[in-house]
Amino acid sequence: MNKSQLHGEPGRSGKGLRGALTGLLGAALLCIPVPALACTLYAAQGTAVADGGTIAAKNRDWRPQEQSLHLSEPRQPGGYRYYGLYGGPFERHQLRGGVNEAGLVAYSAAVSSVTKKQKAAAAEAHPPVQGTLRKVLERYATVEEAVQHPELFQGVRFVMLADRSEVAWIEGGLDGEVRIERRQNGVLAHTNHYLIADLAAQNEKYYESSHKRYDRVMELLQTQKQYTLADFIRIGEDQTAGPVNSLWRTGDETSHTQTVAQMVVWLRPDGDFTVYVKYRAAADAAGHEQTVRLTKQEIFDSTAHQ
C-alpha cells in the first residue's frame, strides 16, 4: 500500500487564504442544485452485526473527480487523528467521510429534495457550519459526545455518525433546525431526502433516485438477521435498479453522477476496527478503482507502517 494514503496532511491545509477559499467553496457547494449529486449511507448496530459492534457505510455518488485517502493530524493540541476520504484536487479537496483513532465514524450526504433557491435562502438566513466532519472527528470520541453539540450540524445537509455502541443520523433543515435520530441494536439508512417527520414537509421535490436507493438499501438490510463487513460491501455494489437508481451508480446520458467511492467501517466491541475503501484516485478510473483494507493499528500505530 502507498504510504501517502496514510500520511497526507489535509487537516493542516485550511490556514490563511487557502482556508478562506476552502470555506467559500464549501458554502458554494451547499447551494449547488443536486438532483444528481448524492450519496447512500447505511449502518447496522449491536444484535444486527455478526460478532457485535457497528458497521457503517457510505457510497459516495458524484461527478467523476480526483479522490485520495489521508491520515490527518488535528488542528488543535489534544485532538484526535483521523483517516478520511477526500474529494477533489489536493489544493481544494474536502473531507467526505472518515474515522478517528477513538473509533468515531462520520459521513455526509447532500440534500437533493429542495431547490437551489431554497438552499441559497437557507444559507443566507442560517449560515452553515463549515468543516463539520473535520471538527467532529477531531473533537469527539463517541456519538454521545458529538450530538451534545447540535450547532455543529447546522446547514442543509445530512450526517451519519457511528461508534461501536451506537449509530445516529442527523438532518439539517432549511430554517436552521437540527434533528437527530439515534439507534442501537438495529439497522438504518439515509439517502438524499428528509425522513424525520417534521422536516419531511421540506421535501419540495421528488428525487426518484434517492427514494429508490433508500427503498433498496432498506430492503437489503431486512434480508438477514445479522450482517458482516463483507455483506455491507456487497450491498454497496448492488446494481439491480440500473445506472441511475442503483446503490452502485454508473450513470448514463441523463445523469453523469456515478458512484466514485465506497467506505465501510466495522467498529468492533473491543474498540478495534477495520476500514474498507474502494475508490477512484483519478476521475477517469471507472472500473479501475483502488481497494484499501486497513486495521486501526495499521492506520494509527506509527510502528505498523515505518
Side-chain angles (χ1 to χ4, degrees):
M1 190 195 74
N2 188 330
K3 287 187 179 181
S4 66
Q5 293 174 320
L6 287 169
H7 291 295
E9 291 191 309
R12 296 188 180 274
S13 65
K15 297 180 179 179
L17 178 60
R18 184 184 299 172
L21 291 173
T22 301
L24 289 172
L25 178 63
L29 285 172
L30 286 172
C31 297
I32 291 175
V34 284
L37 303 179
C39 297
T40 302
L41 313 176
Y42 54 106
Q45 207 291 311
T47 57
V49 179
D51 297 319
T54 302
I55 307 175
K58 170 176 178 171
N59 270 25
R60 182 176 185 236
D61 301 340
W62 203 257
R63 297 188 185 98
Q65 63 174 187
E66 296 176 35
Q67 296 180 111
S68 55
L69 293 167
H70 298 283
L71 172 61
S72 297
E73 298 291 331
R75 296 186 181 182
Q76 297 182 351
Y80 297 104
R81 295 174 295 167
Y82 58 94
Y83 185 64
L85 173 69
Y86 289 78
F90 182 80
E91 290 300 311
R92 295 183 287 110
H93 59 194
Q94 291 188 313
L95 180 63
R96 300 303 185 183
V99 58
N100 70 16
E101 58 189 319
L104 178 65
V105 172
Y107 299 134
S108 61
V111 180
S112 302
S113 57
V114 300
T115 66
K116 179 180 178 180
K117 183 177 180 180
Q118 287 176 305
K119 285 190 175 182
E124 182 175 356
H126 308 281
V129 173
Q130 301 302 319
T132 290
L133 296 189
R134 173 185 61 78
K135 292 173 181 176
V136 167
L137 292 175
E138 286 182 346
R139 297 176 184 179
Y140 307 119
T142 65
V143 172
E144 172 65 26
E145 290 181 7
V147 299
Q148 298 307 309
H149 304 273
E151 69 281 357
L152 279 179
F153 304 99
Q154 182 172 293
V156 181
R157 71 183 113 201
F158 302 131
V159 174
M160 177 179 281
L161 304 176
D163 61 31
R164 59 182 174 174
S165 302
E166 184 176 9
V167 181
W169 83 53
I170 302 167
E171 298 188 345
L174 293 169
D175 297 317
E177 310 99 324
V178 174
R179 301 289 184 264
I180 301 171
E181 180 84 12
R182 301 168 68 173
R183 187 72 49 83
Q184 295 177 338
N185 289 320
V187 299
L188 59 76
H190 211 297
T191 51
N192 307 105
H193 57 282
Y194 290 110
L195 297 174
I196 295 176
D198 65 326
L199 292 187
Q202 296 183 11
N203 289 323
E204 179 69 17
K205 56 186 180 180
Y206 177 78
Y207 176 24
E208 181 182 28
S209 177
S210 180
H211 287 267
K212 287 186 176 296
R213 283 182 287 112
Y214 178 77
D215 290 345
R216 178 57 175 166
V217 74
M218 288 304 297
E219 176 186 355
L220 292 173
L221 290 174
Q222 302 297 328
T223 58
Q224 301 172 208
K225 291 184 177 180
Q226 293 187 317
Y227 293 85
T228 65
L229 179 68
D231 293 328
F232 261 50
I233 293 170
R234 186 182 69 253
I235 287 171
E237 294 175 342
D238 184 81
Q239 297 186 53
T240 58
V244 176
N245 296 322
S246 290
L247 299 180
W248 188 275
R249 303 169 70 182
T250 56
D252 63 12
E253 65 278 0
T254 67
S255 173
H256 299 296
T257 298
Q258 301 171 14
T259 301
V260 295
Q262 179 189 39
M263 186 171 192
V264 187
V265 182
W266 176 25
L267 302 155
R268 293 178 175 82
D270 63 3
D272 197 5
F273 55 79
T274 299
V275 178
Y276 170 91
V277 187
K278 179 180 178 181
Y279 73 107
R280 299 184 199 176
D284 60 354
H288 301 280
E289 292 85 0
Q290 297 186 31
T291 300
V292 174
R293 188 189 295 257
L294 296 167
T295 65
K296 176 181 179 180
Q297 182 180 18
E298 287 170 332
I299 296 171
F300 294 105
D301 183 349
S302 60
T303 63
H305 42 76
Q306 286 180 344

